Amino acid sequence: IQNKYKVDAIPHILCGGFTKEDTENFLIDLDFLGIDNVVALRGDAVKSEIYFKAEKNGHRYAVDLVTQIDDLNKGIYLDDELLNTSKTNFCIGVAGYPEKHMEAPNFDTDLQFLKQKIDKGADYIVTQMFFDNQKFFEFVEKCKKAGINVPIIPGLKPLTTKSQLNMIPHRFKVDLPDHLVIETIKAKDNVAVKEIGIDWCINQSKELIKAGFPVVHYY
């Protein structure tokens, strides 16, 4: 994609399932391939566990992953005896949650965790999906008040099935607006649901672009 179509490829780097050495080797490979944009994520718990469990010698939190990537940008590798190391040039994205992360005790602590990721070297934020733009606008204002001044990219997802009415709030702790729920329930089948979801997502996108957000991430 990057070489043929000249579109930046942005791999998502996870804490879960990888050691620090795995991560460093992967980042070195990406740098060699000319990929210099990444999104640093903790990752979800595996299906057999309720809570996230870090890999042995791996990172527990996304902020630690951001720190490792930022260290490589400074030429600092895990083996501190290496000489003449080359610096990488990764632009680092992180996740933000307009309605807070499901595991955070409250919104304020979640915002503090986000600020830590920015302070450790993250360059921009991509949000969790949301279906009410007002919640995103409020999130952006709260970020500014907390001293977070990096670009914030809104994340959107079109509904495609009726089952997502229950799954999305349960799985991601994201609220669905009443009007969207009512229209989806009235839909005769999932083909109609998909059309409703696309229309809603397009309208969200238009409002966000009009409000000055030139970039949108679609799930």
Side-chain angles (χ1 to χ4, degrees):
I1 289 172
Q2 180 151 306
N3 293 331
K4 184 174 180 179
Y5 298 105
K6 308 304 177 187
V7 175
D8 277 346
I10 308 179
H12 290 46
I13 315 294
L14 301 178
C15 295
F18 301 95
T19 65
K20 296 172 187 176
E21 289 77 13
D22 291 334
T23 300
E24 183 173 281
N25 290 333
F26 184 48
L27 290 164
I28 290 170
D29 285 346
L30 292 180
D31 182 58
F32 176 77
L33 292 169
I35 292 174
D36 55 10
N37 289 290
V38 294
V39 177
L41 304 168
R42 188 198 69 176
D44 298 323
V46 296
K47 291 183 178 180
S48 59
E49 298 176 345
I50 298 175
Y51 299 108
F52 175 82
K53 184 178 180 182
E55 193 78 7
K56 185 178 180 181
N57 297 319
H59 293 302
R60 187 178 179 187
Y61 300 110
V63 66
D64 302 317
L65 181 55
V66 170
T67 300
Q68 182 178 8
I69 300 170
D70 188 60
D71 279 347
L72 284 182
N73 283 347
K74 298 172 182 173
I76 302 171
Y77 289 69
L78 293 175
D79 184 351
D80 55 14
E81 295 182 2
L82 286 175
L83 300 175
N84 301 317
T85 57
S86 60
K87 297 179 180 180
T88 56
N89 187 34
F90 289 110
C91 180
I92 308 167
V94 292
Y97 298 84
E99 298 175 66
K100 95 169 184 64
H101 189 277
M102 64 185 79
E103 295 175 23
N106 57 44
F107 185 85
D108 287 341
T109 56
D110 199 35
L111 200 60
Q112 290 173 19
F113 295 145
L114 179 59
K115 180 70 162 55
Q116 288 174 12
K117 291 188 284 188
I118 304 304
D119 291 343
K120 289 297 183 179
D123 299 292
Y124 67 96
I125 297 164
V126 182
T127 76
Q128 174 61 285
M129 70 182 82
F130 59 90
F131 297 85
D132 181 347
N133 283 356
Q134 188 56 39
K135 292 187 176 182
F136 172 75
F137 296 141
E138 291 170 1
F139 172 71
V140 171
E141 286 304 311
K142 289 175 181 176
C143 283
K144 289 179 181 177
K145 289 180 181 178
I148 297 172
N149 297 306
V150 299
I152 301 176
I153 299 172
L156 303 179
K157 173 180 171 57
L159 286 181
T160 55
T161 65
K162 284 195 177 186
S163 63
Q164 289 176 341
L165 290 178
N166 302 110
M167 185 276 288
I168 288 176
H170 174 73
R171 179 70 183 81
F172 300 103
K173 301 298 184 287
V174 172
D175 286 339
L176 298 174
D178 291 341
H179 183 64
L180 177 59
V181 172
I182 292 168
E183 290 300 308
T184 303
I185 289 173
K186 291 194 306 187
K188 61 182 180 180
D189 54 30
N190 282 335
V191 173
V193 171
K194 188 174 181 180
E195 287 302 314
I196 292 168
I198 290 172
D199 285 343
W200 189 275
C201 201
I202 288 172
N203 287 330
Q204 276 189 277
S205 302
K206 287 180 177 178
E207 184 180 23
L208 289 164
I209 292 167
K210 187 177 180 180
F213 294 90
V215 180
V216 179
H217 176 76
Y218 293 114
Y219 290 100

